[in-house]
Amino acid sequence: MPEPTKKDETETQSAPPPPEQKTPQDGGTGKDKDEDDTSVSTPPADGMSKPAERKDSVWSIGEGAPEESEKRDDSQMSTLFIEKPQSGSVSVGGNITFIAKVEAKDLLRKPNVKWFKGKWMDLASKAGKHLQLKESFERHTKIHTFEMHIIKAKENFAGNYRCEVSYKDKFDSCSFDLEVTESSQAAQSIDIRSAFKRREIKQQEEEPEVDVWELLKNANPSEYEKIAFQYGITDLRGMLKRLKRMRREVKKSAAFAKGLDPAYQVDKGGKVRFMVELADPTVELKWYKNGQEIRPSAKYIFEHKGNQRILFINNCTMADDARYYVTAGDEKCSTELFVRDPPILVTKSLEDTSTYVGERVELSCEVSEENANVKWFRNGVELSDDPHSRYRIKVEGKKHTLIIEEAAKNDNATYSVMTTGGQSEAKLSVDLRPLKISLALEDQTVRLGQEIHLKCEISENVEGKWYKNGQLVEASDRVKLYHKGRIHRFVIASSAVDDEGEYMFVPDAYNINIPCKVHVVDPPKLHLDGLGENNTVTVVAGSKLRLEIPITGEPTPKVVWSRGDKGITDSGRIRAETYPDSSCLVIDAAEREDSGPFRITLKNEAGEDTALINIKVVDVPDPPQAPNVTEVGEDWCVMTWEPPANDGGSPILGYFIERKKKQSSRWMRLNFELIKETTFEPKKMIEGVAYEVRVFAVNAIGISKPSMPSKSFVPLAVTSPPTLLAVDGVTDTSVTMKWRPPDHIGAAGLDGYVVEYCFEGTDEWIVANPELTDKTKFTINGLPTGSKILVRVKAVNAAGESEPRYHPQPILVKEVIEPPKIRLPRHLKQTYTRRVGETVNLVIPFQGRPRAKVSWEKNGSPIDKNHINIRNTENDTIIFIRKAERCHSGEYDMKVEVENLVDKATIDIQIVDRPGPPEIVIIDDVWGENVNLSWKPPKDDGNAAITGYTIQKADKKSMEWFTVMEHYHRTSATINELIIGNEYYFRVFAENMCGLSEDATMTKESALIAKDGKVYKYPVYNDFDFTERPMFTQPLVNTFAVAGYNATLNCSVRGNPKPKITWLKNKVIIMNDPRYRMFSNQGVCTLEIRKPSPYDGGTYTCRAVNTLGEAEVECKLEVKGGLSFFRLLMDGVPPHIIDSYMREVQADKTEGK
């Protein structure tokens, strides 16, 4: 059986060897090796703690800590154990098993279980021949079982044990006792050992004296205190200091042939002999004790024998326990003398004692000297005189007494006392007093919620346990357990149904129990909290109703369901089902006739309860009548209907509307949110298509069947008004108007137009065309000269006339002269350039009425119409050249005349072609690997500026041409890196905007690259500074955009370093806006505005910034609104007319305001 191991220097105390095992000093053989490994009688390796340190030691086996642990465990409710190990008894040499069980239902992993003897001796590392720990797990019951097997028990195995279980933050522990009783064979063996014990003591007296110094020097430091106690060393701390000093390595001495031993030991009153041997006998020798020189006397005797020098110390006392050294010249040899007290003997042994639980116990012995150091043991485990211990040690001179104030059952043990010269032991037997029941528990019947109070009284003041139906009951917030003297009480303030059962009180350590029965009754009660107002339950017709009513009552009440005077059985379409805690009313396929009150009644021995439950069966409503369509429009109609005659027992929540084409069978729902009213306006229908509509009624139960379809109807609408009504011409008796078709015509089509007019100042509108006209131009004739008329136009189709389009201003019936004005396009205000062979087609609009006359001249001469085609209309003139030639270049003058009014414009047309070759190419100089060339520009530049030259070279041998320079601007060049020894020809091409000249001019002479030539020194050029601040080469242009269609703003910028581009709208930087996209490529900056709206109009700025400065350009963006503007463009209306029209619309809006 393992003993406690050392925890720290001041915690664990060692136990002396028991009488039956001989120590090495006794010369005994001991037991075999296996038995020694696990025997409880083997002293631990720890040294004995000093008396001053024993106050801080922890509880050892047999001390008060186990009892306190039991009290703590009994006062707390077990949180993990479902079965705790119980105290047991076993005879010497027998086997016993302790079992602990833990339920794993709420645990995610195996709990941690430890077994202890005493307070902290962990038995896990001590398992061996006499101790085995096992564990198992039952998967079906989910219970962990932990077992501790003690095999071939010995007397020293008796004592207090503890089992601890922990899981995360949960902890539980249980203490139990093991009692080891003697068998008859064991008693005989003890007698035999006691006989040998006397012999062993005699042998011990005859053994030679033990050298304590040698023991200490060779012992483990943990055994110092044990050796000090056995051999009477009182100043162990000083002895250890001297031991440390003597362990230092002694250097070899030239003066001493043989020095003193490291230490000497002598009994108090004895004689000791110190001897050294000198290498030189003539050297003067001196002896010292603790630094003081020793003089010869009756106590100190010096002796000389040859080279030996001897010191005798007679009648040694404790004062002679000191450090000694001898000097010979300059050298010194030292030693330590240890004087030990004589052993302390036990003069009066302990006596076996028997007592009852709770009595005071005193175990006394006497020793040979007063106030001697004595140790007490319980089953081989040392007891300390700690104030918190159950054991108190009293010393009166030579008498030493161990006192137990209130003996307990687990105090049964063998107690022993040990001194430096002997030991004594005795057995303490603690028995229980006979127990009598003064007041037994009584059977009780209580109502649910009332207090349960159980009380009993016994003759002894002992603890006990309460059980319910055989299960241990722990104290909790709900269950209160009281113990005062001999009275035990069990109290539950508010009883519950689960509290009914058989209760029992079992006093600790007694094999009796006090039983009683508790019967909990509760009047029946119906719990109708979940029902609606007036206990009404609503069920949908055709569905199954299962109404569950919770019930309570103890004992379980009898349930009766009835409807009127007729009871409801447990079978049929309407039936009742009863369960321990509820009752159910079941109606299969509920019908409207099932509506009405149902009664439920509960009865038991405690009372009765009844209630009425109203069942309401509801259904979907009836379908409404067929709806009526009262009004029809372009893509809409107005429909009305009447509510259904029967709402199904639930209010109508609203209606769903559906429509379909008459030829189709597919209905489409028009609303996804219920309509409360009985009128609705369907929209988004197709004109000219016949439709039908129907209605669904909806209540809380569901949707009714559809109503009958309405009569079919066809949506039709008039067109929108005509657009762009304008005056096309005015004479003295007529006015010609023109317009554009309506924006929206519809499915009914367009039959024609009606033109109406009225004279200014009257409200009578006169139809100008009695029959519809399908053209978009009409002349009103027969008007008086000088009168003013108002004009309007209407579009007509099968649905009727559209809204009229009015001319914004009165029209004067008089021919008006409009001054001529040429609107020259922007691209013709600068030189118009085309290549030879391309087509020239120029359209120049103009104004001027009436009968504007257009004439053309070229370079001041009339145009030859055989080569150039001219076509004139009332609003523009076209100049057309099918295949341009160089001769078509020149200045073209256009003149528009209206009576005496004239307007002129000039167009510069330039027809360009590829240039001719340079006139002559000359080799100016040849040096090293270089050739200097020069040439004259070509005579024919192709009617365009020369933009550069291309230079090629060819080896005279192969005459294969290779380009060495392109786009070269000068008329002289130096050709480098030519191959020495080769002879080259060169040729030059001229280049303009049309490309390279067809031919090239070649040098007449060749250039020979000689091997020996003068070295050409290249001129030194400074690096050109390309840095410049940002500068916009193409600014932003004010732009008009169409709402809903992407617009772009473009500009170009240059600068070095490359400038950073930032776009701003109304001086605010545009950042992280998905409606804008910004591009920058080769200096061209673009801002794309996705689907702009009028809100996107404003001033846009492009800012370029680099390290040298910044530059900005800005423009205004105006977003023209709506679809009509776009359609004007798509219909081919010229931009200037669109602008005029938009200004008129804006003027109309201003006048309307």
Side-chain angles (χ1 to χ4, degrees):
M1 183 78 185
E3 285 291 334
T5 57
K6 183 177 180 183
K7 191 171 184 180
D8 55 48
E9 280 295 327
T10 63
E11 285 188 350
T12 305
Q13 301 177 13
S14 63
E20 62 267 28
Q21 180 173 335
K22 299 178 183 179
T23 60
Q25 290 82 359
D26 295 336
T29 60
K31 299 183 181 181
D32 59 27
K33 183 175 181 181
D34 294 338
E35 201 165 332
D36 290 341
D37 291 342
T38 60
S39 175
V40 299
S41 61
T42 303
D46 306 54
M48 181 185 301
S49 301
K50 296 182 181 179
E53 298 171 339
R54 212 173 288 149
K55 295 180 181 179
D56 299 327
S57 63
V58 297
W59 298 111
S60 189
I61 295 178
E63 297 180 352
E67 183 176 347
E68 294 174 3
S69 177
E70 285 181 0
K71 293 180 180 179
R72 179 195 66 189
D73 294 339
D74 292 340
S75 65
Q76 297 178 358
M77 182 177 180
S78 177
T79 59
L80 294 172
F81 282 121
I82 61 172
E83 181 178 335
K84 299 182 178 180
Q86 304 296 323
S87 300
S89 177
V90 66
S91 59
V92 174
N95 301 336
I96 188 171
T97 300
F98 296 92
I99 299 176
K101 293 185 178 181
V102 177
E103 188 174 12
K105 180 171 63 176
D106 299 326
L107 307 183
L108 299 179
R109 57 179 176 80
K110 187 184 74 175
N112 185 24
V113 174
K114 293 185 178 180
W115 298 85
F116 296 86
K117 181 177 181 183
K119 191 169 183 180
W120 49 66
M121 185 175 72
D122 191 349
L123 301 180
S125 61
K126 305 300 180 181
K129 183 177 180 182
H130 294 277
L131 174 68
Q132 294 182 4
L133 302 178
K134 296 182 179 180
E135 63 184 42
S136 61
F137 178 70
E138 180 61 37
R139 296 186 179 273
H140 299 293
T141 59
K142 295 185 178 179
I143 293 178
H144 290 279
T145 302
F146 302 88
E147 300 178 2
M148 181 177 73
H149 300 279
I150 296 179
I151 305 169
K152 296 182 180 180
K154 300 181 181 180
E155 284 186 358
N156 291 341
F157 289 10
N160 179 262
Y161 291 77
R162 187 172 78 259
C163 179
E164 292 184 356
V165 58
S166 61
Y167 178 79
K168 294 186 177 178
D169 56 343
K170 297 182 180 180
F171 174 83
D172 202 357
S173 67
C174 174
S175 297
F176 56 94
D177 296 321
L178 172 62
E179 182 180 2
V180 182
T181 59
E182 296 179 353
S183 63
S184 58
Q185 296 179 356
Q188 294 176 4
S189 63
I190 291 175
D191 294 336
I192 295 173
R193 285 198 298 270
S194 62
F196 280 99
K197 179 179 177 181
R198 289 190 292 273
R199 296 181 184 177
E200 291 167 1
I201 294 173
K202 293 179 181 179
Q203 293 175 3
Q204 183 179 358
E205 293 175 354
E206 296 173 0
E207 284 183 356
E209 182 180 355
V210 177
D211 189 348
V212 179
W213 162 251
E214 291 296 332
L215 288 177
L216 290 173
K217 185 171 65 172
N218 299 321
N220 192 298
S222 61
E223 299 179 353
Y224 287 165
E225 291 188 3
K226 170 188 167 186
I227 297 173
F229 175 76
Q230 291 181 350
Y231 294 98
I233 299 172
T234 57
D235 187 13
L236 176 62
R237 195 179 299 274
M239 184 177 183
L240 294 177
K241 290 181 179 179
R242 292 156 68 187
L243 171 65
K244 183 177 181 181
R245 185 167 59 246
M246 293 306 298
R247 280 184 171 176
R248 297 171 183 167
E249 182 179 356
V250 179
K251 298 180 180 179
K252 292 184 179 181
S253 173
F256 296 99
K258 181 179 180 182
L260 296 172
D261 291 339
Y264 294 85
Q265 175 182 316
V266 64
D267 289 336
K268 185 177 179 181
K271 178 181 179 181
V272 68
R273 173 178 177 268
F274 296 151
M275 187 274 291
V276 296
E277 185 175 344
L278 300 176
D280 183 4
T282 60
V283 176
E284 182 180 4
L285 197 73
K286 291 184 179 182
W287 294 87
Y288 295 87
K289 171 188 175 183
N290 289 337
Q292 298 293 328
E293 185 177 358
I294 300 174
R295 299 295 181 182
S297 64
K299 186 175 183 67
Y300 303 102
I301 299 174
F302 298 93
E303 183 178 332
H304 295 243
K305 289 184 180 180
N307 289 349
Q308 295 180 352
R309 301 292 184 267
I310 303 172
L311 169 64
F312 292 95
I313 303 176
N314 299 320
N315 192 20
C316 291
T317 65
M318 297 304 296
D320 295 321
D321 188 289
R323 181 172 183 266
Y324 293 83
Y325 64 88
V326 58
T327 61
D330 295 334
E331 296 193 23
K332 178 172 68 173
C333 180
S334 62
T335 187
E336 294 282 348
L337 174 61
F338 298 98
V339 180
R340 70 176 184 177
D341 287 332
I344 298 173
L345 304 178
V346 179
T347 58
K348 183 179 179 181
S349 301
L350 299 174
E351 296 180 357
D352 293 342
T353 305
S354 297
T355 186
Y356 288 112
V357 173
E359 296 290 337
R360 176 186 172 95
V361 178
E362 293 186 0
L363 300 177
S364 300
C365 69
E366 293 184 3
V367 296
S368 58
E369 292 189 12
E370 294 185 355
N371 300 322
N373 188 8
V374 174
K375 291 184 179 290
W376 289 88
F377 296 86
R378 179 184 183 275
N379 290 337
V381 179
E382 184 181 352
L383 302 178
S384 65
D385 190 18
D386 193 289
H388 302 287
S389 173
R390 295 182 64 250
Y391 305 98
R392 187 163 57 87
I393 300 173
K394 182 179 178 182
V395 180
E396 296 175 344
K398 297 181 180 180
K399 183 178 180 181
H400 293 254
T401 305
L402 176 65
I403 301 173
I404 305 175
E405 293 295 341
E406 293 183 2
K409 186 69 177 175
N410 56 6
D411 289 327
N412 281 312
T414 300
Y415 293 84
S416 59
V417 64
M418 178 179 287
T419 65
T420 58
Q423 66 179 18
S424 176
E425 67 179 22
K427 290 186 179 180
L428 174 61
S429 177
V430 182
D431 295 325
L432 297 173
R433 293 180 185 272
L435 184 69
K436 296 181 180 180
I437 301 175
S438 304
L439 178 63
L441 297 175
E442 296 180 355
D443 295 343
Q444 293 187 9
T445 299
V446 296
R447 282 197 168 223
L448 185 69
Q450 292 183 348
E451 181 183 70
I452 299 176
H453 191 170
L454 305 180
K455 178 181 178 182
C456 67
E457 184 177 351
I458 56 179
S459 59
E460 297 296 327
N461 182 14
V462 296
E463 298 285 342
K465 295 180 175 60
W466 291 87
Y467 293 87
K468 175 193 171 185
N469 297 330
Q471 297 294 326
L472 179 65
V473 179
E474 300 284 354
S476 65
D477 294 339
R478 186 170 176 273
V479 179
K480 305 296 182 183
L481 304 180
Y482 300 98
H483 174 208
K484 185 176 182 181
R486 298 176 300 170
I487 298 175
H488 295 264
R489 292 187 298 133
F490 178 98
V491 178
I492 298 178
S494 179
S495 62
V497 176
D498 295 339
D499 294 328
E500 181 173 334
E502 295 183 0
Y503 289 80
M504 181 173 58
F505 177 73
V506 180
D508 289 348
Y510 289 94
N511 191 21
I512 64 172
N513 59 75
I514 308 172
C516 73
K517 293 183 179 180
V518 176
H519 184 43
V520 180
V521 297
D522 183 21
K525 183 174 179 59
L526 290 165
H527 298 274
L528 306 176
D529 300 337
L531 300 182
E533 185 179 359
N534 298 326
N535 296 338
T536 301
V537 178
T538 303
V539 60
V540 179
S543 62
K544 181 178 180 179
L545 170 65
R546 184 178 180 85
L547 176 62
E548 184 173 358
I549 306 297
I551 61 175
T552 56
E554 185 65 28
T556 303
K558 180 180 179 181
V559 184
V560 177
W561 285 88
S562 61
R563 184 181 183 187
D565 298 334
K566 185 179 179 180
I568 298 176
T569 63
D570 57 357
S571 62
R573 188 176 66 84
I574 302 177
R575 60 185 181 275
E577 299 177 357
T578 302
Y579 302 97
D581 57 350
S582 64
S583 181
C584 291
L585 176 64
V586 181
I587 302 177
D588 293 331
E591 302 173 358
R592 290 190 180 182
E593 292 76 13
D594 297 332
S595 299
F598 288 75
R599 180 178 295 276
I600 178 173
T601 304
L602 305 181
K603 290 183 181 179
N604 73 352
E605 63 184 59
E608 179 179 343
D609 193 12
T610 183
L612 279 176
I613 300 174
N614 295 315
I615 303 298
K616 182 180 179 182
V617 181
V618 296
D619 201 354
V620 297
D622 292 341
Q625 296 295 323
N628 296 320
V629 178
T630 59
E631 189 177 352
V632 177
E634 173 187 2
D635 61 347
W636 54 270
C637 72
V638 177
M639 56 182 290
T640 60
W641 63 91
E642 294 296 329
N646 187 355
D647 62 0
S650 180
I652 298 296
L653 300 179
Y655 302 91
F656 284 123
I657 313 300
E658 289 186 351
R659 78 169 182 220
K660 76 176 183 68
K661 298 176 182 178
K662 186 176 180 180
Q663 298 83 1
S664 173
S665 60
R666 179 173 173 269
W667 290 90
M668 181 178 69
R669 180 160 292 180
L670 302 182
N671 62 308
F672 294 96
E673 293 184 0
L674 291 176
I675 297 173
K676 308 294 184 182
E677 297 81 12
T678 57
T679 181
F680 184 69
E681 183 179 341
K683 296 181 179 180
K684 297 183 179 179
M685 291 185 284
I686 302 174
E687 288 184 72
V689 178
Y691 286 91
E692 293 178 350
V693 292
R694 66 182 182 181
V695 183
F696 294 83
V698 181
N699 65 3
I701 309 306
I703 304 175
S704 71
K705 294 182 179 179
S707 68
M708 293 300 294
S710 67
K711 294 181 180 180
S712 61
F713 60 94
V714 178
L716 288 175
V718 298
T719 67
S720 61
T723 59
L724 297 179
L725 178 61
V727 178
D728 188 55
V730 180
T731 66
D732 291 339
T733 59
S734 67
V735 173
T736 302
M737 305 297 295
K738 64 179 181 179
W739 59 90
R740 298 293 296 171
D743 289 337
H744 177 71
I745 295 176
L750 178 62
D751 295 338
Y753 301 95
V754 173
V755 181
E756 297 178 341
Y757 68 94
C758 73
F759 293 98
E760 187 178 24
T762 66
D763 294 332
E764 181 182 358
W765 288 91
I766 302 171
V767 177
N769 56 329
E771 296 182 358
L772 296 178
T773 177
D774 57 354
K775 301 184 181 299
T776 57
K777 187 175 181 180
F778 186 80
T779 301
I780 305 173
N781 297 312
L783 298 175
T785 302
S787 63
K788 290 185 177 182
I789 63 172
L790 298 175
V791 181
R792 67 182 184 184
V793 180
K794 298 178 182 179
V796 181
N797 66 0
E801 296 181 350
S802 69
E803 291 292 326
R805 172 68 66 184
Y806 292 89
H807 190 272
Q809 296 175 355
I811 303 171
L812 177 63
V813 184
K814 183 178 180 180
E815 190 168 15
V816 179
I817 297 176
E818 182 180 358
K821 183 176 181 182
I822 300 174
R823 296 185 176 275
L824 192 65
R826 181 182 300 176
H827 66 282
L828 296 180
K829 292 182 180 180
Q830 54 190 1
T831 301
Y832 183 76
T833 304
R834 281 292 180 269
R835 295 186 180 183
V836 172
E838 292 182 347
T839 301
V840 176
N841 187 14
L842 303 179
V843 179
I844 299 94
F846 62 86
Q847 294 177 350
R849 293 179 184 275
R851 297 175 293 280
K853 181 180 179 182
V854 181
S855 61
W856 285 90
E857 291 183 352
K858 176 187 174 185
N859 297 327
S861 301
I863 293 178
D864 184 2
K865 294 185 178 180
N866 294 328
H867 297 90
I868 301 174
N869 296 323
I870 302 295
R871 183 176 65 85
N872 299 324
T873 65
E874 294 181 358
N875 298 319
D876 56 29
T877 180
I878 299 174
I879 181 170
F880 178 77
I881 304 174
R882 185 176 300 278
K883 190 173 182 180
E885 299 292 342
R886 293 269 296 273
C887 61
H888 294 147
S889 299
E891 291 185 355
Y892 290 75
D893 298 324
M894 173 184 174
K895 182 170 64 174
V896 179
E897 295 178 325
V898 177
E899 295 186 354
N900 297 326
L901 302 177
V902 178
D903 191 17
K904 296 180 180 181
T906 301
I907 301 174
D908 187 5
I909 297 177
Q910 182 179 6
I911 307 300
V912 298
D913 197 1
R914 291 197 292 178
E919 288 189 29
I920 186 172
V921 180
I922 303 173
I923 299 176
D924 291 336
D925 194 5
V926 178
W927 74 98
E929 301 173 0
N930 310 297
V931 173
N932 189 22
L933 301 176
S934 63
W935 59 90
K936 292 182 180 181
K939 293 181 179 180
D940 182 10
D941 60 1
N943 207 21
I946 298 298
T947 58
Y949 299 92
T950 297
I951 306 169
Q952 293 182 344
K953 68 179 181 179
D955 189 356
K956 185 177 180 181
K957 297 179 181 178
S958 63
M959 288 306 290
E960 292 183 7
W961 294 97
F962 298 93
T963 301
V964 294
M965 288 185 182
E966 289 182 315
H967 314 301
Y968 189 76
H969 297 285
R970 299 181 181 178
T971 57
S972 61
T974 300
I975 311 303
N976 303 320
E977 299 180 357
L978 299 174
I979 299 175
I980 296 176
N982 287 2
E983 191 172 356
Y984 292 94
Y985 285 97
F986 300 92
R987 67 181 183 183
V988 180
F989 291 87
E991 183 180 6
N992 65 4
M993 60 182 295
C994 295
L996 295 176
S997 59
E998 294 182 359
D999 299 324
T1001 303
M1002 189 176 69
T1003 56
K1004 296 180 179 180
E1005 300 176 354
S1006 62
L1008 177 62
I1009 308 303
K1011 294 183 180 180
D1012 296 326
K1014 63 181 180 179
V1015 178
Y1016 176 75
K1017 184 177 181 181
Y1018 293 97
V1020 178
Y1021 300 99
N1022 295 327
D1023 292 337
F1024 185 77
D1025 185 9
F1026 291 97
T1027 60
E1028 66 173 329
R1029 63 180 295 162
M1031 181 178 69
F1032 283 92
T1033 58
Q1034 178 66 36
L1036 293 172
V1037 179
N1038 294 339
T1039 305
F1040 292 94
V1042 179
Y1045 292 84
N1046 292 0
T1048 57
L1049 303 178
N1050 299 283
C1051 63
S1052 61
V1053 65
R1054 72 182 186 189
N1056 192 14
K1058 183 179 179 180
K1060 178 181 178 182
I1061 305 302
T1062 306
W1063 288 89
L1064 301 89
K1065 176 188 174 185
N1066 298 329
K1067 304 302 181 182
V1068 177
I1069 296 177
I1070 301 173
M1071 295 180 63
N1072 301 325
D1073 192 333
R1075 295 183 302 111
Y1076 298 94
R1077 295 179 61 192
M1078 305 172 193
F1079 306 95
S1080 179
N1081 184 21
Q1082 300 295 328
V1084 178
C1085 305
T1086 303
L1087 175 65
E1088 180 181 353
I1089 307 171
R1090 298 182 175 181
K1091 297 183 179 180
S1093 64
Y1095 169 79
D1096 292 315
T1099 301
Y1100 285 81
T1101 304
C1102 180
R1103 178 185 296 166
V1105 181
N1106 68 2
T1107 55
L1108 300 179
E1110 66 177 50
E1112 289 184 355
V1113 290
E1114 63 181 26
C1115 70
K1116 291 184 178 180
L1117 173 66
E1118 182 179 350
V1119 180
K1120 299 291 185 177
L1123 184 61
S1124 59
F1125 185 89
F1126 172 73
R1127 287 196 171 181
L1128 291 176
L1129 294 176
M1130 295 298 295
D1131 292 339
V1133 180
H1136 67 278
I1137 298 178
I1138 296 177
D1139 290 343
S1140 175
Y1141 169 74
M1142 294 304 294
R1143 284 194 295 271
E1144 292 174 1
V1145 171
Q1146 188 64 31
D1148 289 345
K1149 292 182 180 179
T1150 304
E1151 291 176 0
K1153 294 181 180 180

